[in-house]
Amino acid sequence: FAPTSYPVTEIATAGRISHRERSPRPSEPTLAAYVDRVSAMPSETAGYLPLVHVREQSDRTHTWEYSEARSQEYYACLRRQIHEGVSYEGCTALVTGASRGSIGARLVQALLSGGAYVVVTTSSADYAQATRYYAHVYRAYGARGAVLHVVPCNQASTQDVHALVHHVYSTLHRHLDYVLPFAACAAPGDVAHLDGRSELALRLLMTNVLRLVGAVQQAKRERRIPQRPTHVVLPLSPNHGELGGDGLYGEAKAALQTLFARWRSEQWTGVSVAGAVIGWTRGTALMAANDLAAAGVEQATKGRTFSAAEMAFNLMGLVHPRMCALAERAPV
């Protein structure tokens, strides 16, 4: 994993404003120090929680509440990633939305480093250029036994989603251990200007994520392999309309949370679910417009924004075998 970094906004003499990343953060010279920082319980204000933590659903109120026990288990998994590493040899992962600079791309790098068989999708019109990029990623990060299989797929297409799952199970003859559906697209607009692109984004961000999970379930039922769980990590967001002007993004992210209830009510077998509420992440295509403000926001609020590498590191904690074992009993 890359070292921690922090945002810097620079103004050139000609007046051009630019964003740069510097590393490491002065207070976090190592990833171990980073884990200590994001897992620390704030002391200055009662009611605050660690920057990164795990919640579990209350049996009594059905609300998601901070779980110290699960959080400590998660922090232990993060530390194991640093000090011991994690082997994904023999495991197959499907990652969508892994273009250059994205969180998904960092996830692909981490999985390859652990020896996984990774199926990555691309919706790029220039397939040759995309495969050259992924070939570079494989050469840089592929451990012994790792495989990177690149498949053209538009996650907004129902036909492509079903063809993708068929390709994995029937052509490659692989069973999916992990599904990380991180494909996304921007569709700005307020409620008075929702259009076809807004509906396309909704299908990509929400509807076809459900279809993808359902297609995996069906493939496993047909092959009678429910006893080997597929772990799905859902990319959630704290933005459920608070920012505004972003089309149906908030509605899509809020709707994904229904999968936690569906896991119980539909009595899913062979699929476990973890949801990651992803905070402000710098350097991604969706957040690029806000990168210039990141340094000022951190200074003004004493808050924290994350690099794509840091967020991927957080997410890889959710695919650690011990967190997967927790998710088999109840969504995380």
Side-chain angles (χ1 to χ4, degrees):
F1 291 100
T4 61
S5 62
Y6 62 100
V8 177
T9 300
E10 297 179 336
I11 304 177
T13 53
R16 182 175 177 273
I17 304 175
S18 61
H19 161 262
R20 289 203 313 118
E21 292 284 319
R22 287 185 181 170
S23 115
R25 278 187 184 258
S27 58
E28 300 164 12
T30 64
L31 276 175
Y34 166 81
V35 175
D36 290 341
R37 170 73 179 91
V38 299
S39 64
M41 182 68 77
S43 57
E44 63 271 13
T45 305
Y48 275 34
L49 294 173
L51 286 171
V52 180
H53 60 271
V54 177
R55 301 187 182 197
E56 63 180 335
Q57 196 167 27
S58 167
D59 292 332
R60 183 175 58 85
T61 65
H62 301 291
T63 57
W64 289 87
E65 300 173 354
Y66 171 68
S67 169
E68 183 175 0
R70 286 194 169 196
S71 294
Q72 291 302 324
E73 181 67 28
Y74 171 72
Y75 302 144
C77 292
L78 293 181
R79 293 187 173 97
R80 289 189 186 96
Q81 287 186 146
I82 300 169
H83 301 298
E84 303 170 12
V86 181
S87 174
Y88 295 102
E89 183 179 2
C91 296
T92 302
L94 170 63
V95 185
T96 70
S99 59
R100 188 190 303 268
S102 67
I103 297 172
R106 302 285 188 169
L107 294 172
V108 169
Q109 294 168 11
L111 290 163
L112 289 174
S113 297
Y117 187 115
V118 180
V119 179
V120 64
T121 67
T122 177
S123 59
S124 172
D126 192 338
Y127 184 70
Q129 183 181 31
T131 54
R132 286 194 296 271
Y133 164 68
Y134 289 118
H136 168 74
V137 170
Y138 180 78
R139 287 193 297 269
Y141 296 96
R144 184 176 63 181
V147 174
L148 182 59
H149 190 79
V150 184
V151 181
C153 177
N154 173 10
Q155 192 171 295
S157 164
T158 301
Q159 178 178 329
D160 278 16
V161 167
H162 286 291
L164 172 63
V165 176
H166 177 79
H167 179 72
V168 171
Y169 280 90
S170 298
T171 304
L172 300 179
H173 301 290
R174 305 293 299 189
H175 159 72
L176 289 173
D177 297 282
Y178 305 105
V179 174
L180 299 103
F182 276 65
C185 70
D190 58 26
V191 292
H193 298 90
L194 299 178
D195 54 17
R197 183 173 176 82
S198 304
E199 295 182 8
L200 177 76
L202 182 67
R203 191 161 68 245
L204 184 150
L205 292 167
M206 186 273 291
T207 308
N208 280 1
V209 171
L210 271 65
R211 281 200 175 105
L212 176 60
V213 174
V216 170
Q217 282 186 304
Q218 185 62 30
K220 296 182 71 172
R221 289 194 194 103
E222 292 172 355
R223 291 159 181 79
R224 299 181 179 178
I225 50 174
Q227 72 280 3
R228 185 175 173 183
T230 297
H231 188 56
V232 181
V233 179
L234 299 173
L236 307 178
S237 173
N239 173 24
H240 293 169
E242 285 81 0
L243 297 181
D246 49 7
L248 295 172
Y249 178 86
E251 286 74 9
K253 293 301 183 180
L256 283 180
Q257 296 183 71
T258 63
L259 284 177
F260 300 133
R262 285 178 180 271
W263 183 88
R264 291 184 171 87
S265 63
E266 297 179 0
Q267 300 180 337
W268 289 4
T269 57
V271 175
S272 59
V273 182
V277 182
I278 298 174
W280 187 325
T281 305
R282 308 183 304 273
T284 66
L286 283 180
M287 293 294 291
N290 299 314
D291 284 347
L292 291 176
V297 167
E298 287 197 359
Q299 184 176 8
T301 65
K302 307 302 179 185
R304 172 70 180 250
T305 63
F306 297 86
S307 68
E310 291 165 352
M311 190 55 68
F313 174 75
N314 298 339
L315 291 164
M316 287 304 297
L318 289 177
V319 301
H320 189 283
R322 294 182 67 159
M323 294 305 296
C324 293
L326 285 178
E328 288 177 30
R329 298 195 291 269
V332 174

PDB file of all heavy atoms in Angstrom, residues 174-175 180 294 312 317:
ATOM      1  N   ARG A 174     -14.860 -19.989 -13.036  1.00  0.00           N
ATOM      2  CA  ARG A 174     -14.405 -19.477 -11.745  1.00  0.00           C
ATOM      3  C   ARG A 174     -15.608 -19.240 -10.842  1.00  0.00           C
ATOM      4  O   ARG A 174     -16.707 -18.935 -11.304  1.00  0.00           O
ATOM      5  CB  ARG A 174     -13.635 -18.157 -11.906  1.00  0.00           C
ATOM      6  CG  ARG A 174     -12.457 -18.193 -12.853  1.00  0.00           C
ATOM      7  CD  ARG A 174     -11.331 -19.058 -12.365  1.00  0.00           C
ATOM      8  NE  ARG A 174     -10.777 -18.610 -11.088  1.00  0.00           N
ATOM      9  CZ  ARG A 174      -9.673 -19.120 -10.558  1.00  0.00           C
ATOM     10  NH1 ARG A 174      -9.014 -20.086 -11.169  1.00  0.00           N
ATOM     11  NH2 ARG A 174      -9.226 -18.681  -9.390  1.00  0.00           N
ATOM     12  N   HIS A 175     -15.381 -19.390  -9.549  1.00  0.00           N
ATOM     13  CA  HIS A 175     -16.378 -19.007  -8.551  1.00  0.00           C
ATOM     14  C   HIS A 175     -15.943 -17.690  -7.931  1.00  0.00           C
ATOM     15  O   HIS A 175     -14.776 -17.533  -7.561  1.00  0.00           O
ATOM     16  CB  HIS A 175     -16.503 -20.070  -7.468  1.00  0.00           C
ATOM     17  CG  HIS A 175     -17.110 -19.540  -6.203  1.00  0.00           C
ATOM     18  ND1 HIS A 175     -18.451 -19.215  -6.107  1.00  0.00           N
ATOM     19  CD2 HIS A 175     -16.559 -19.221  -5.004  1.00  0.00           C
ATOM     20  CE1 HIS A 175     -18.694 -18.753  -4.889  1.00  0.00           C
ATOM     21  NE2 HIS A 175     -17.570 -18.744  -4.204  1.00  0.00           N
ATOM     22  N   LEU A 180     -16.820  -6.449  -5.988  1.00  0.00           N
ATOM     23  CA  LEU A 180     -16.659  -5.046  -5.598  1.00  0.00           C
ATOM     24  C   LEU A 180     -17.156  -4.173  -6.747  1.00  0.00           C
ATOM     25  O   LEU A 180     -16.400  -3.809  -7.656  1.00  0.00           O
ATOM     26  CB  LEU A 180     -15.187  -4.746  -5.275  1.00  0.00           C
ATOM     27  CG  LEU A 180     -14.623  -5.567  -4.105  1.00  0.00           C
ATOM     28  CD1 LEU A 180     -13.738  -6.700  -4.640  1.00  0.00           C
ATOM     29  CD2 LEU A 180     -13.808  -4.703  -3.160  1.00  0.00           C
ATOM     30  N   ALA A 294     -10.003  20.652  -0.869  1.00  0.00           N
ATOM     31  CA  ALA A 294      -9.733  19.674   0.195  1.00  0.00           C
ATOM     32  C   ALA A 294      -8.821  20.223   1.281  1.00  0.00           C
ATOM     33  O   ALA A 294      -9.090  20.071   2.479  1.00  0.00           O
ATOM     34  CB  ALA A 294      -9.139  18.403  -0.409  1.00  0.00           C
ATOM     35  N   ALA A 312      -8.787   2.795  -0.324  1.00  0.00           N
ATOM     36  CA  ALA A 312      -8.675   1.399  -0.742  1.00  0.00           C
ATOM     37  C   ALA A 312      -8.124   0.533   0.387  1.00  0.00           C
ATOM     38  O   ALA A 312      -8.558  -0.613   0.576  1.00  0.00           O
ATOM     39  CB  ALA A 312      -7.789   1.296  -1.976  1.00  0.00           C
ATOM     40  N   GLY A 317      -9.660  -3.840   4.320  1.00  0.00           N
ATOM     41  CA  GLY A 317      -9.933  -4.392   5.636  1.00  0.00           C
ATOM     42  C   GLY A 317     -11.253  -5.138   5.677  1.00  0.00           C
ATOM     43  O   GLY A 317     -11.414  -6.104   6.433  1.00  0.00           O
TER      44      GLY A 317
END
